[in-house]
Amino acid sequence: MSERTFLTVPEHVAIIMDGNGRWAKQRGLPRTMGHRKGVDAVRETVRAAGEAGIKYLTLFAFSSENWRRPETEVSDLLGLLKAFIRRDLAELHRQNVRVKVIGDRLSLKSDILDLLVDAEERTKSNTALTLVIAFNYGSRDEIARAMASLALDVEAGRLRAQDISPALINARLDTAGIPDPDLIIRTSGEERLSNFLLWQAAYSEFIFVPEYWPDFSREIFYSALETFASRDRRFGGLVAQTAAAVGT
């Protein structure tokens, strides 16, 4: 096992796990095999994040746009998520990992929704790494739902429109109570957010790696953390600010 000490550790890392299908195509395999191999990368990344001292790890597991994919692929993706939760939840719980799910829940079928809710409930008191699973998630949808919630309060007289602030908006997002990501990593060489954490990424650092998600390793992850530690974060000011310093 590779262990490293970092000058600074991001409190929150978010990852766009991209390239499962292309990984499989390169090898002449069906896309489903890429997704299955990607689950192994999820397990390794969760372990590596916890060992590095990261407090929040958000994984873009299934976007609200992914429903447009072929029905067989969607079915396989949902099956893999169910299998991951059923197989890995007990181990995550033993590791003191808290599971949090973000995304629109209203349109989810009861079988998968019940699994997600159970994962949250069983691990809600855990205090180590918080694993945030973005499922049926789209940032524009998230922001629209937050705005609708605020509009209802204004309409009912519970809130004045002029009192709406970034803090109030933040409190209505799916990520309420979760710090904004310090670092966003995307695999497969693509360099875009793809409707992921648009509000929360205002001051995030970005690292794009060429490897497809199934090849994402502890070494690649830790290399990204080292790159993050070397950057100056000013948040619009003149003095560089860092994430959590090791040992503080």
Side-chain angles (χ1 to χ4, degrees):
M1 180 182 297
S2 174
E3 295 185 2
R4 300 186 197 177
T5 300
F6 303 97
L7 179 63
T8 58
V9 178
E11 183 180 21
H12 182 181
V13 176
I15 304 179
I16 302 173
M17 306 179 294
D18 193 23
N20 290 346
R22 279 166 287 169
W23 180 92
K25 184 178 180 180
Q26 271 191 353
R27 291 158 176 78
L29 300 170
R31 288 176 60 86
T32 54
M33 292 303 297
H35 297 313
R36 293 177 188 277
K37 180 67 174 175
V39 173
D40 294 334
V42 168
R43 293 189 180 102
E44 178 67 5
T45 301
V46 171
R47 285 193 291 266
E51 291 166 13
I54 292 164
K55 294 300 183 183
Y56 296 86
L57 175 68
T58 297
L59 301 179
F60 201 5
F62 192 89
S63 79
S64 52
E65 289 80 27
N66 284 158
W67 298 106
R68 303 171 189 167
R69 294 188 177 187
E71 185 176 348
T72 53
E73 183 173 349
V74 170
S75 178
D76 190 68
L77 284 168
L78 297 181
L80 285 172
L81 178 66
K82 293 176 186 177
F84 175 79
I85 292 176
R86 289 171 177 149
R87 186 182 311 157
D88 292 62
L89 184 59
E91 178 62 25
L92 292 171
H93 194 29
R94 280 194 294 272
Q95 294 174 2
N96 199 25
V97 173
R98 178 169 71 108
V99 176
K100 168 72 177 174
V101 181
I102 61 173
D104 183 14
R105 305 187 182 198
L106 292 179
S107 60
L108 294 180
K109 293 182 178 179
S110 59
D111 59 339
I112 195 160
L113 179 59
D114 289 347
L115 273 177
L116 296 175
V117 171
D118 179 61
E120 288 185 318
E121 284 298 311
R122 288 179 59 185
T123 63
K124 65 182 180 181
S125 298
N126 292 344
T127 57
L129 173 72
T130 294
L131 174 61
V132 184
I133 301 173
F135 182 81
N136 195 29
Y137 175 85
S139 190
R140 288 181 173 179
D141 171 72
E142 174 193 31
I143 294 169
R145 287 187 280 109
M147 295 303 99
S149 172
L150 290 168
L152 285 174
D153 281 354
V154 171
E155 187 177 32
R158 294 187 294 267
L159 177 67
R160 298 187 308 164
Q162 59 265 39
D163 291 334
I164 295 176
S165 64
L168 274 179
I169 295 171
N170 207 47
R172 301 296 176 100
L173 296 174
D174 296 348
T175 53
I178 298 172
D180 291 342
D182 302 291
L183 170 63
I184 296 178
I185 301 170
R186 181 168 185 154
T187 59
S188 86
E190 302 290 350
E191 298 185 3
R192 56 181 178 271
L193 275 174
S194 296
N195 200 20
F196 181 57
L197 300 179
L198 300 179
W199 174 277
Q200 299 87 340
Y203 286 102
S204 300
E205 295 293 319
F206 295 88
I207 293 177
F208 303 101
V209 299
E211 291 84 3
Y212 296 135
W213 175 248
D215 289 328
F216 192 77
S217 63
R218 179 184 297 262
E219 288 69 30
I220 296 170
F221 189 26
Y222 283 178
S223 177
L225 296 184
E226 288 175 343
T227 298
F228 170 84
S230 71
R231 294 185 179 178
D232 292 332
R233 305 183 72 206
R234 297 182 177 85
F235 299 91
L238 296 178
V239 180
Q241 299 181 45
T242 63
V246 172
T248 62

